Amino acid sequence: KAGVTQTPRYLIKTRGQQVTLSCSPISGHRSVSWYQQTPGQGLQFLFEYFSETQRNKGNFPGRFSGRQFSNSRSEMNVSTLELGDSALYLCASRRGQGVDTEAFFGQGTRLTVV
Amino acid sequence: GQQLNQSPQSMFIQEGEDVSMNCTSSSIFNTWLWYKQDPGEGPVLLIALYKAGELTSNGRLTAQFGITRKDSFLNISASIPSDVGIYFCAGLSGGGQNFVFGPGTRLSVLP
């Protein structure tokens, strides 16, 4: 059974550009969550999608957005990139949203903004 | 909002020693997960706990769901060099739909 797949693994962008990251969850999983990880802030929750609907949102500016497709694949978009957006972006998939469902992470996309 | 604290923040141990770390919160959680993250990789799920008092093992790892539901513990026995990494706890409350993560415990194993 394939795990969570994130593409690309590495990305270098210039300040002011925009970027789209992709996450394919484990087959059968309908929930996808996105996290930003930086050395100083740890794992910060961005948003969660379940059945193509955003169910939860963290405390990030509107430049961060996402969507989920009917096959549960999800994309995250960051517009007008800032230097501080450099981070490891992780997505996690879950079968559902119940308290008995575990979250499995992808390898992450390392974004560097220069 | 909900927050998790992990201690110790970092630890250096000798190969072969046992390790204990914990995760605490002022809030009650219904699910606790423990992850290990290697540099540049995503966190890997180690153990999941669903019931207060539950004790679960995965090889040399043992984790417990605290009776108060506000804490969890992870023990590693007979540490080896590949245990090096950052260990995160994550909690899920009954009302919440996304996990809250602790800041992590960085483990270093000296040969």
Side-chain angles (χ1 to χ4, degrees):
Chain A
K1 191 171 173 179
V4 181
T5 305
Q6 288 189 248
T7 55
R9 285 291 312 271
Y10 303 94
L11 207 47
I12 299 176
K13 288 286 189 179
T14 304
R15 197 168 40 175
Q17 285 186 312
Q18 67 127 25
V19 67
T20 299
L21 313 181
S22 177
C23 173
S24 292
I26 293 170
S27 177
H29 285 200
R30 294 164 65 193
S31 166
V32 174
S33 298
W34 287 90
Y35 295 83
Q36 181 193 67
Q37 187 177 34
T38 57
Q41 297 295 319
L43 273 158
Q44 301 290 310
F45 172 72
L46 280 155
F47 28 65
E48 181 192 13
Y49 286 86
F50 181 80
S51 293
E52 301 179 66
T53 302
Q54 187 181 90
R55 297 297 181 99
N56 283 289
K57 192 175 189 310
N59 193 24
F60 277 81
R63 299 185 298 108
F64 292 80
S65 63
R67 59 177 175 169
Q68 187 178 34
F69 302 95
S70 58
N71 61 358
S72 294
R73 188 177 72 85
S74 177
E75 286 183 348
M76 190 193 96
N77 186 75
V78 187
S79 62
T80 320
L81 284 165
E82 301 177 359
L83 296 179
D85 296 334
S86 295
L88 180 67
Y89 289 88
L90 294 160
C91 83
S93 86
R94 297 168 65 195
R95 182 167 40 82
Q97 290 189 306
V99 294
D100 60 346
T101 58
E102 300 144 6
F104 297 90
F105 282 89
Q107 291 182 297
T109 294
R110 169 74 62 187
L111 171 65
T112 302
V113 182
V114 297
Chain B
Q2 295 173 321
Q3 279 191 315
L4 294 181
N5 302 304
Q6 284 188 250
S7 66
Q9 195 172 27
S10 63
M11 53 196 314
F12 292 82
I13 60 167
Q14 292 289 139
E15 186 177 351
E17 286 184 351
D18 296 343
V19 174
S20 288
M21 59 187 79
N22 67 49
C23 186
T24 60
S25 174
S26 58
S27 304
I28 288 175
F29 288 95
N30 289 341
T31 301
W32 288 96
L33 304 181
W34 283 93
Y35 292 87
K36 176 177 181 272
Q37 185 176 26
D38 292 327
E41 301 292 329
V44 174
L45 182 64
L46 299 173
I47 291 179
L49 301 160
Y50 302 111
K51 221 160 80 166
E54 180 182 356
L55 187 72
T56 298
S57 292
N58 177 8
R60 294 178 297 104
L61 277 60
T62 302
Q64 183 159 26
F65 193 140
I67 288 290
T68 65
R69 292 164 62 196
K70 293 182 179 181
D71 55 14
S72 180
F73 307 88
L74 176 69
N75 296 315
I76 306 173
S77 62
S79 58
I80 58 179
S82 63
D83 290 335
V84 166
I86 301 177
Y87 291 80
F88 290 98
C89 62
L92 183 68
S93 62
Q97 292 171 322
N98 58 281
F99 284 93
V100 177
F101 281 83
T105 290
R106 183 181 295 274
L107 177 64
S108 299
V109 179
L110 306 173

